């Protein structure tokens, strides 16, 4: 591996950590808000399964969704080879949570775009780290690879 590859990998890993921290903190804030001031969310949850069950929504958000973020960070801090999979899972869980939330409350706003976008960003960063989205630098695909020759 070249020094540039190591530097790029290090940058991608740092960005992944920053995104996971932002996501983890946001789930913690949502968890606390849902528990301490459930009336803020009552109008949005009226007529849904979560009406009057803000505590359940809080636990799902703070423990389940946030737990994936913190687990990814913990594994990354330990240098575990599983951290990349954990970041992918965290991004997927966050993206699914945001999608489900939009469906449940029948609404979409800038916070959904922000947090859902960060979930997708996590998934894309994993792809970059794994080399799936690495630029080919002029290399053409052979016909055997299914691309132009």
């Amino acid at each position: 591996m070249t020094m540039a590859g190591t530097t790029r990998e290090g940058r991608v890993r740092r960005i992944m950590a920053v995104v996971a921290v932002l996501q983890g903190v946001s789930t913690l804030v949502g968890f606390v808000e849902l528990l301490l001031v459930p009336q803020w969310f009552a109008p949005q949850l009226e007529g849904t399964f979560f009406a009057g069950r803000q505590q359940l929504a809080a636990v799902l958000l703070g423990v389940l969704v946030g737990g994936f973020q913190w687990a990814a960070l913990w594994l990354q801090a330990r240098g575990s080879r599983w951290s990349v999979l954990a970041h992918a899972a965290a991004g997927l869980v966050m993206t699914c949570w945001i999608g489900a939330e939009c469906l449940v409350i029948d609404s979409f706003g800038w916070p959904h775009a922000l947090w859902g976008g960060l979930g997708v960003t996590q998934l894309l960063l994993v792809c970059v780290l794994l080399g799936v989205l690495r630029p080919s630098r002029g290399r053409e695909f052979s016909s055997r690879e299914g691309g132009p020759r």
Side-chain angles (χ1 to χ4, degrees), residues 11-52:
R11 279 194 309 259
V12 171
R13 287 184 183 277
R14 282 190 296 278
I15 294 167
M16 287 169 62
V18 168
V19 171
V21 167
L22 288 171
Q23 297 283 55
V25 168
S26 76
T27 61
L28 185 59
V29 169
F31 172 77
V32 169
E33 287 177 341
L34 279 161
L35 289 179
L36 297 183
V37 282
Q39 64 273 17
W40 288 357
F41 304 95
Q44 291 174 309
L45 297 175
E46 188 176 315
T48 73
F49 172 80
F50 292 100

Side-chain angles (χ1 to χ4, degrees), residues 139-149:
R139 182 181 152 249
E140 292 189 21
F141 295 108
S142 70
S143 60
R144 188 178 67 198
E145 292 172 323
R149 201 165 192 200

